[in-house]
């Protein structure tokens, strides 16, 4: 070895931990959503995550399980009760996106309604009642802002129900079709948009339902195309998420069977000792 050469770095043989690579921002964000739920956690992460290379379940076993299941089997599991997270991973896909949209749509529409609510109050008969409360200005202001706040809350509630229900319908139809076929497609978002648009115009007749479904279907198709590009780029398509979900479920079943076997063995040992 030449005098200018650096000595090779020795890796200790006892360490079994792989070298960690520097993660990007999107990798860290994906890892945050992929963390495993602890205990009986209600708001569990969107995407299931298995134990990786340390899993007792092999990839071949997961592939065999998926090959033997049907689309209706996946639909049944989607709407079934999950003791670990209350809902299946597919339904969490829907609720985790629909819930923020519902909340923020109500907040935004309510904030936009506030200036108009003040103007409506100034033109309403209730303003005359406030004038008669000059002797008690505190009660007058309280009465005024109670009316305005109630108006804003009603508007926000209606907007949240309308926009949240519309978006939830799109996501639910899309997720149901994606779960049945085990793949992601912009067509499923288009079908969800058509269903949501038609239901939104149900009270206006058949023509309004057709036109509303057509417009919303096109919008859902455009949104689905952009979102599917995002999912494909970061490896979060339906087939990959379902593969991880199946592996996680098999791991949980394996751990439960191991615990039952250990408990049964302990009880047999105790019975023989007594």
């Amino acid at each position: 070895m030449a005098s200018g050469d650096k000595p090779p770095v020795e890796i200790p043989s006892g360490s079994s931990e792989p070298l960690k690579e520097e993660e990007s921002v999107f990798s860290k964000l994906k890892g945050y959503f992929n963390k495993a739920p602890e205990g009986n956690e209600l708001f569990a992460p969107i995407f299931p995550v298995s134990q990786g290379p340390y899993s007792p379940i092999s990839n071949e076993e997961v592939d065999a399980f998926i090959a033997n299941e049907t689309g209706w089997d996946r639909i049944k599991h989607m709407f079934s009760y999950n003791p670990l997270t209350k809902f299946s991973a597919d339904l969490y896909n829907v609720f985790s996106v629909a819930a923020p949209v519902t909340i923020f749509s109500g907040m935004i529409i309510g904030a936009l309604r506030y200036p108009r609510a003040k103007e409506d109050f100034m033109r309403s008969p209730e303003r005359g009642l406030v004038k008669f409360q000059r002797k008690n200005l505190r009660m007058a202001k309280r009465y005024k802002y109670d009316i305005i706040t109630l108006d804003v809350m009603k508007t926000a509630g209606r907007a949240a129900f309308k926009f949240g229900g519309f978006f939830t319908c799109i996501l639910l139809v899309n997720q149901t079709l994606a779960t049945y076929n085990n793949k992601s497609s912009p067509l499923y978002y288009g079908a969800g948009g058509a269903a949501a648009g038609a239901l939104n115009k149900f009270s206006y007749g058949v023509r309004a339902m057709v036109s509303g479904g057509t417009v919303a279907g096109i919008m859902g198709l455009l949104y689905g195309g952009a979102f599917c590009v995002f999912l494909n780029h970061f490896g979060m398509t339906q087939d990959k998420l379902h593969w991880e979900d199946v592996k996680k479920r098999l791991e949980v079943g394996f751990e439960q069977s191991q615990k039952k076997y250990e408990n049964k063995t302990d009880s047999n040992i105790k019975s023989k000792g007594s």
Side-chain angles (χ1 to χ4, degrees):
M1 184 173 62
S3 59
D5 296 338
K6 295 182 179 179
V9 179
E10 295 183 0
I11 301 176
S13 57
S15 177
S16 59
E17 296 183 359
L19 296 176
K20 295 183 179 179
E21 297 181 358
E22 186 177 356
E23 296 181 344
S24 62
V25 176
F26 289 104
S27 299
K28 292 179 180 178
L29 181 62
K30 184 180 175 183
Y32 169 77
F33 286 112
N34 285 353
K35 66 178 182 179
E38 299 177 359
N40 198 7
E41 189 177 350
L42 179 60
F43 296 100
I46 307 171
F47 310 122
V49 59
S50 62
Q51 299 177 13
Y54 306 102
S55 173
I57 306 299
S58 65
N59 295 345
E60 290 75 16
E61 291 175 311
V62 179
D63 294 335
F65 182 93
I66 295 176
N68 292 326
E69 68 177 0
T70 62
W72 286 113
D73 293 334
R74 291 190 288 269
I75 293 295
K76 290 177 182 178
H77 175 262
M78 175 181 173
F79 294 100
S80 63
Y81 174 78
N82 189 340
L84 182 64
T85 58
K86 304 295 184 182
F87 300 103
S88 64
D90 297 317
L91 279 183
Y92 264 109
N93 248 346
V94 176
F95 295 147
S96 60
V97 180
V101 170
T102 303
I103 295 172
F104 285 115
S105 61
M107 292 174 61
I108 292 172
I109 299 299
L112 294 176
R113 171 61 184 169
Y114 179 73
R116 184 66 182 273
K118 293 177 68 176
E119 294 179 4
D120 291 346
F121 173 78
M122 298 301 293
R123 294 194 297 264
S124 66
E126 284 82 359
R127 181 173 178 268
L129 296 176
V130 174
K131 285 184 176 180
F132 287 109
Q133 297 289 337
R134 292 182 182 274
K135 295 181 180 180
N136 193 342
L137 294 177
R138 182 180 177 184
M139 290 298 296
K141 290 181 179 180
R142 180 178 178 182
Y143 182 71
K144 171 186 175 182
Y145 286 108
D146 282 350
I147 295 175
I148 295 175
T149 303
L150 185 62
D151 187 351
V152 171
M153 290 179 65
K154 285 182 179 179
T155 305
R158 286 194 295 265
F161 179 79
K162 185 175 182 179
F163 287 101
F166 183 84
F167 204 68
T168 301
C169 182
I170 294 177
L171 295 176
L172 190 60
V173 172
N174 163 72
Q175 189 61 51
T176 303
L177 294 173
T179 300
Y180 181 83
N181 296 295
N182 196 26
K183 66 177 183 179
S184 300
S185 173
L187 297 176
Y188 303 155
Y189 287 95
L199 289 175
N200 189 42
K201 298 294 183 181
F202 178 76
S203 59
Y204 296 95
V206 179
R207 287 187 177 181
M209 290 178 66
V210 172
S211 60
T214 302
V215 174
I218 295 174
M219 293 174 62
L221 193 63
L222 296 175
Y223 167 79
F227 195 62
C228 284
V229 171
F230 172 84
L231 295 178
N232 284 317
H233 181 72
F234 293 105
M236 299 190 301
T237 52
Q238 175 63 29
D239 54 338
K240 294 180 180 179
L241 296 180
H242 180 64
W243 193 93
E244 284 288 340
D245 181 42
V246 168
K247 191 169 186 179
K248 180 62 181 178
R249 283 154 49 194
L250 293 177
E251 288 172 354
V252 171
F254 178 80
E255 291 174 359
Q256 290 177 349
S257 62
Q258 286 289 99
K259 290 180 181 179
K260 289 181 180 179
Y261 177 78
E262 291 174 359
N263 293 335
K264 186 177 180 180
T265 304
D266 293 341
S267 60
N268 291 337
I269 294 173
K270 291 179 180 179
S271 62
K272 289 181 181 179
S274 60

